Amino acid sequence: VRAQIALLPGDGIGVEVVAEAEKLLQAVAKKFGHEFSFVRGLIGGCAIDATGEALPDETLSICRASQAILLGAVGGPKWDNPSAKTRPEAGLLKIRKELGLFANVRPIKASPYLVQASPLKTEIVAGVDILFFRELTGGLYFGESGRKTNPDGSETAFNTMIYSTYEIERIVRLAGQAARGRRKKVTSVDKANVLEVSRLWRQTFDRVMQAEFPDVQTEHVLIDAMAMHLISKPKNFDVVVTENLFGDILTDEGSMLPGSMGLLPSASLGADGPGLYEPIHGSAPDIAGKGIANPLATILAAAMLLRHSLHLETEAVAIEKAVDHVLSRGHRTADIAGGGPAVSTVRMGELVLEAFLAV
Amino acid sequence: VRAQIALLPGDGIGVEVVAEAEKLLQAVAKKFGHEFSFVRGLIGGCAIDATGEALPDETLSICRASQAILLGAVGGPKWDNPSAKTRPEAGLLKIRKELGLFANVRPIKASPYLVQASPLKTEIVAGVDILFFRELTGGLYFGESGRKTNPDGSETAFNTMIYSTYEIERIVRLAGQAARGRRKKVTSVDKANVLEVSRLWRQTFDRVMQAEFPDVQTEHVLIDAMAMHLISKPKNFDVVVTENLFGDILTDEGSMLPGSMGLLPSASLGADGPGLYEPIHGSAPDIAGKGIANPLATILAAAMLLRHSLHLETEAVAIEKAVDHVLSRGHRTADIAGGGPAVSTVRMGELVLEAFLAV
Ligand SMILES: [Mg+2]
Ligand SMILES: [Mg+2]
């Protein structure tokens, strides 16, 4: 496979963790005979400093010309001034919008070597392997909104949760496709017992799944029940698909399960064009430049990139196994060391690379 | 105190558990020198069988004439026919609406004697004591909704999350008052970084709290972050107030924490008039009539009734202590016995009564 991969390290620890993931991707190319070229672009605070914009046109062109994008993180106290013309986070919103990235994909996988750090009991969490598909460009966050002052001086404000058939169809299809490569089960989360917009969601989900994925098992769970099940029986779920707000809540709740946010990657996908891959952690300005950040989430984001944008499943699994192996040997960065001995960012990258090459 | 209390046992185990709570209330009256009179009304499936309606006018009159209402549970397979004219649950919706019950109050308290059944680790959950105030008659479930077919044949559906100042003010006041009798801290949950309706919620919360409850500490947490914190650091919260949908999700998530739904009560309050008190569990038709249902949630709902509607804090605490004592002695109904020896519904009621009288 020949592919151009855009690297957007961003701010803070983003630079350090993307560097380690890049080394892994280079090793994948060499070992499996692919040709990856890497192009770097500015996003976030560093882009504001250099160009005045959080997402310069040049970065956007680089991304459009690439098959996939690997992002570090954006933001930091330097750009937190509320009166600033633009903020680093605006770069993220713009790139998602410009590239039509309507699906946020979030694996929640509990590493057997780290579950003891989970707030949940080990027997509940060990073996959890959920893949969330959250709709990212519709629903309550993007519907009509407003506020008015009433004759009596009180105020009324509203937001609208709105979905059209095509928005539901396209994310259901992504979820259905992903389920085929996994345990062939998709759980759709809605509030169809109360909300009309959820009833359209449920009907569309049923129609697409029956017509296009008859081989995939489906189920419906209400959002409030799902918030319970995610704690009480998370192993019951494989692929989960839901709308924007419900997905926002559930993926954050789910991120607590593995007990180590430093390991969780995320992808944002569109209908075609490049997907965007990143760790779910932030730019962590307090530890930036110290060489102690955990690069594993970004390395696992690179594995997702190989799987979802380049369709290199074997290569993705090889990286994931290497990470597993390193953790099984007890190597830890400070954030997951629980006060015990910790390795540096670069050393953790090397350890994964060695494990990858040794398989 | 003289008070009339309406008893609406409803269906299934509702009858059995309300009977035990009534005995406790009678004992409270006797021991503390109050005069409670009890009036019974029909609601749910039994009301449909007798009158054709899930909430007969007579029941509503009884409730209006009472200071507080103790409800068991409604529903069962007998009334599950989807083509039926009315359903048992319609009785619940109607009574809330008719009595203007806009606040759902849900304590999440982890009994030290039962936390080992929680999916969360004991050190996370032991000592949790949260009081949720969920707005119950506004927001996304009650705003304008609709669906239309577009020119291209696709469909679009929407619901509206809408709040007016007065709806927010009145529930914030209830939360503020409750906080005064507790640890004097209120957490407001919203999504003000994205939603206009949440910005109105936050501004109104701040205004009411600063003007009327300057002695109470306040904080804001975003709904997605709260879904995380509720698992990772639930002991950080005391009183939590939020809108309808967010409260629906969070109270259900929170109900998993104590590891025993059979102990959780709930109240629905209005501005004045009687409050409605009930266990959060359902009518459990599978075990109805067997005498094995857990009456503790309903007994604790009766304690809430004493506290919130009759302002009898000492009496409420006395019941809660009696329940604690019985659990500390190892007595369990089947649902919380973990397969071990279990007592009957009536015996559990007697044990709590004995402990109450012994103090
Ligand atoms: Mg979030
Ligand atoms: Mg619910």
PDB file of all heavy atoms in Angstrom, chain A residues 343-355:
ATOM      1  N   VAL A 343       8.899   4.605  32.868  1.00  0.00           N
ATOM      2  CA  VAL A 343       9.811   4.878  31.754  1.00  0.00           C
ATOM      3  C   VAL A 343       9.408   6.180  31.072  1.00  0.00           C
ATOM      4  O   VAL A 343       8.305   6.685  31.268  1.00  0.00           O
ATOM      5  CB  VAL A 343       9.812   3.730  30.727  1.00  0.00           C
ATOM      6  CG1 VAL A 343      10.199   2.401  31.398  1.00  0.00           C
ATOM      7  CG2 VAL A 343       8.460   3.604  30.036  1.00  0.00           C
ATOM      8  N   SER A 344      10.306   6.722  30.251  1.00  0.00           N
ATOM      9  CA  SER A 344      10.042   7.977  29.543  1.00  0.00           C
ATOM     10  C   SER A 344       9.165   7.723  28.309  1.00  0.00           C
ATOM     11  O   SER A 344       8.941   6.577  27.917  1.00  0.00           O
ATOM     12  CB  SER A 344      11.359   8.598  29.087  1.00  0.00           C
ATOM     13  OG  SER A 344      11.917   7.819  28.040  1.00  0.00           O
ATOM     14  N   THR A 345       8.711   8.805  27.710  1.00  0.00           N
ATOM     15  CA  THR A 345       7.927   8.732  26.478  1.00  0.00           C
ATOM     16  C   THR A 345       8.697   7.989  25.390  1.00  0.00           C
ATOM     17  O   THR A 345       8.187   7.065  24.751  1.00  0.00           O
ATOM     18  CB  THR A 345       7.610  10.159  25.970  1.00  0.00           C
ATOM     19  OG1 THR A 345       7.033  10.907  27.039  1.00  0.00           O
ATOM     20  CG2 THR A 345       6.663  10.134  24.785  1.00  0.00           C
ATOM     21  N   VAL A 346       9.961   8.412  25.183  1.00  0.00           N
ATOM     22  CA  VAL A 346      10.771   7.826  24.118  1.00  0.00           C
ATOM     23  C   VAL A 346      11.055   6.353  24.401  1.00  0.00           C
ATOM     24  O   VAL A 346      10.970   5.500  23.517  1.00  0.00           O
ATOM     25  CB  VAL A 346      12.093   8.624  23.961  1.00  0.00           C
ATOM     26  CG1 VAL A 346      13.061   7.893  23.047  1.00  0.00           C
ATOM     27  CG2 VAL A 346      11.796  10.031  23.436  1.00  0.00           C
ATOM     28  N   ARG A 347      11.347   6.036  25.661  1.00  0.00           N
ATOM     29  CA  ARG A 347      11.630   4.648  26.008  1.00  0.00           C
ATOM     30  C   ARG A 347      10.393   3.770  25.787  1.00  0.00           C
ATOM     31  O   ARG A 347      10.507   2.645  25.276  1.00  0.00           O
ATOM     32  CB  ARG A 347      12.091   4.569  27.474  1.00  0.00           C
ATOM     33  CG  ARG A 347      12.433   3.178  27.952  1.00  0.00           C
ATOM     34  CD  ARG A 347      13.690   2.603  27.273  1.00  0.00           C
ATOM     35  NE  ARG A 347      13.864   1.180  27.515  1.00  0.00           N
ATOM     36  CZ  ARG A 347      14.136   0.271  26.589  1.00  0.00           C
ATOM     37  NH1 ARG A 347      14.316   0.640  25.323  1.00  0.00           N
ATOM     38  NH2 ARG A 347      14.263  -0.989  26.897  1.00  0.00           N
ATOM     39  N   MET A 348       9.221   4.273  26.148  1.00  0.00           N
ATOM     40  CA  MET A 348       8.000   3.500  25.917  1.00  0.00           C
ATOM     41  C   MET A 348       7.809   3.258  24.422  1.00  0.00           C
ATOM     42  O   MET A 348       7.446   2.161  23.993  1.00  0.00           O
ATOM     43  CB  MET A 348       6.784   4.233  26.505  1.00  0.00           C
ATOM     44  CG  MET A 348       5.467   3.490  26.384  1.00  0.00           C
ATOM     45  SD  MET A 348       5.469   1.805  27.069  1.00  0.00           S
ATOM     46  CE  MET A 348       4.752   2.080  28.693  1.00  0.00           C
ATOM     47  N   GLY A 349       8.091   4.290  23.612  1.00  0.00           N
ATOM     48  CA  GLY A 349       8.010   4.120  22.160  1.00  0.00           C
ATOM     49  C   GLY A 349       8.960   3.032  21.672  1.00  0.00           C
ATOM     50  O   GLY A 349       8.590   2.172  20.862  1.00  0.00           O
ATOM     51  N   GLU A 350      10.172   3.067  22.183  1.00  0.00           N
ATOM     52  CA  GLU A 350      11.169   2.056  21.805  1.00  0.00           C
ATOM     53  C   GLU A 350      10.726   0.654  22.186  1.00  0.00           C
ATOM     54  O   GLU A 350      10.908  -0.298  21.426  1.00  0.00           O
ATOM     55  CB  GLU A 350      12.503   2.338  22.518  1.00  0.00           C
ATOM     56  CG  GLU A 350      13.325   3.464  21.922  1.00  0.00           C
ATOM     57  CD  GLU A 350      14.510   3.847  22.835  1.00  0.00           C
ATOM     58  OE1 GLU A 350      14.670   3.211  23.908  1.00  0.00           O
ATOM     59  OE2 GLU A 350      15.242   4.768  22.469  1.00  0.00           O
ATOM     60  N   LEU A 351      10.180   0.532  23.397  1.00  0.00           N
ATOM     61  CA  LEU A 351       9.745  -0.782  23.874  1.00  0.00           C
ATOM     62  C   LEU A 351       8.664  -1.365  22.968  1.00  0.00           C
ATOM     63  O   LEU A 351       8.693  -2.555  22.629  1.00  0.00           O
ATOM     64  CB  LEU A 351       9.221  -0.662  25.315  1.00  0.00           C
ATOM     65  CG  LEU A 351      10.305  -0.476  26.387  1.00  0.00           C
ATOM     66  CD1 LEU A 351       9.702   0.063  27.682  1.00  0.00           C
ATOM     67  CD2 LEU A 351      11.022  -1.809  26.652  1.00  0.00           C
ATOM     68  N   VAL A 352       7.715  -0.527  22.567  1.00  0.00           N
ATOM     69  CA  VAL A 352       6.656  -1.007  21.672  1.00  0.00           C
ATOM     70  C   VAL A 352       7.259  -1.388  20.316  1.00  0.00           C
ATOM     71  O   VAL A 352       6.910  -2.416  19.726  1.00  0.00           O
ATOM     72  CB  VAL A 352       5.543   0.058  21.506  1.00  0.00           C
ATOM     73  CG1 VAL A 352       4.472  -0.433  20.521  1.00  0.00           C
ATOM     74  CG2 VAL A 352       4.896   0.386  22.848  1.00  0.00           C
ATOM     75  N   LEU A 353       8.179  -0.561  19.841  1.00  0.00           N
ATOM     76  CA  LEU A 353       8.840  -0.833  18.566  1.00  0.00           C
ATOM     77  C   LEU A 353       9.575  -2.169  18.612  1.00  0.00           C
ATOM     78  O   LEU A 353       9.456  -3.001  17.701  1.00  0.00           O
ATOM     79  CB  LEU A 353       9.824   0.304  18.265  1.00  0.00           C
ATOM     80  CG  LEU A 353      10.392   0.391  16.846  1.00  0.00           C
ATOM     81  CD1 LEU A 353       9.270   0.571  15.832  1.00  0.00           C
ATOM     82  CD2 LEU A 353      11.369   1.565  16.747  1.00  0.00           C
ATOM     83  N   GLU A 354      10.305  -2.387  19.683  1.00  0.00           N
ATOM     84  CA  GLU A 354      11.035  -3.656  19.838  1.00  0.00           C
ATOM     85  C   GLU A 354      10.071  -4.844  19.851  1.00  0.00           C
ATOM     86  O   GLU A 354      10.305  -5.862  19.187  1.00  0.00           O
ATOM     87  CB  GLU A 354      11.834  -3.653  21.154  1.00  0.00           C
ATOM     88  CG  GLU A 354      13.101  -2.805  21.093  1.00  0.00           C
ATOM     89  CD  GLU A 354      13.659  -2.497  22.489  1.00  0.00           C
ATOM     90  OE1 GLU A 354      13.305  -3.225  23.454  1.00  0.00           O
ATOM     91  OE2 GLU A 354      14.430  -1.517  22.612  1.00  0.00           O
ATOM     92  N   ALA A 355       8.997  -4.693  20.597  1.00  0.00           N
ATOM     93  CA  ALA A 355       8.015  -5.783  20.671  1.00  0.00           C
ATOM     94  C   ALA A 355       7.386  -6.016  19.299  1.00  0.00           C
ATOM     95  O   ALA A 355       7.161  -7.164  18.887  1.00  0.00           O
ATOM     96  CB  ALA A 355       6.937  -5.451  21.700  1.00  0.00           C
TER      97      ALA A 355
END
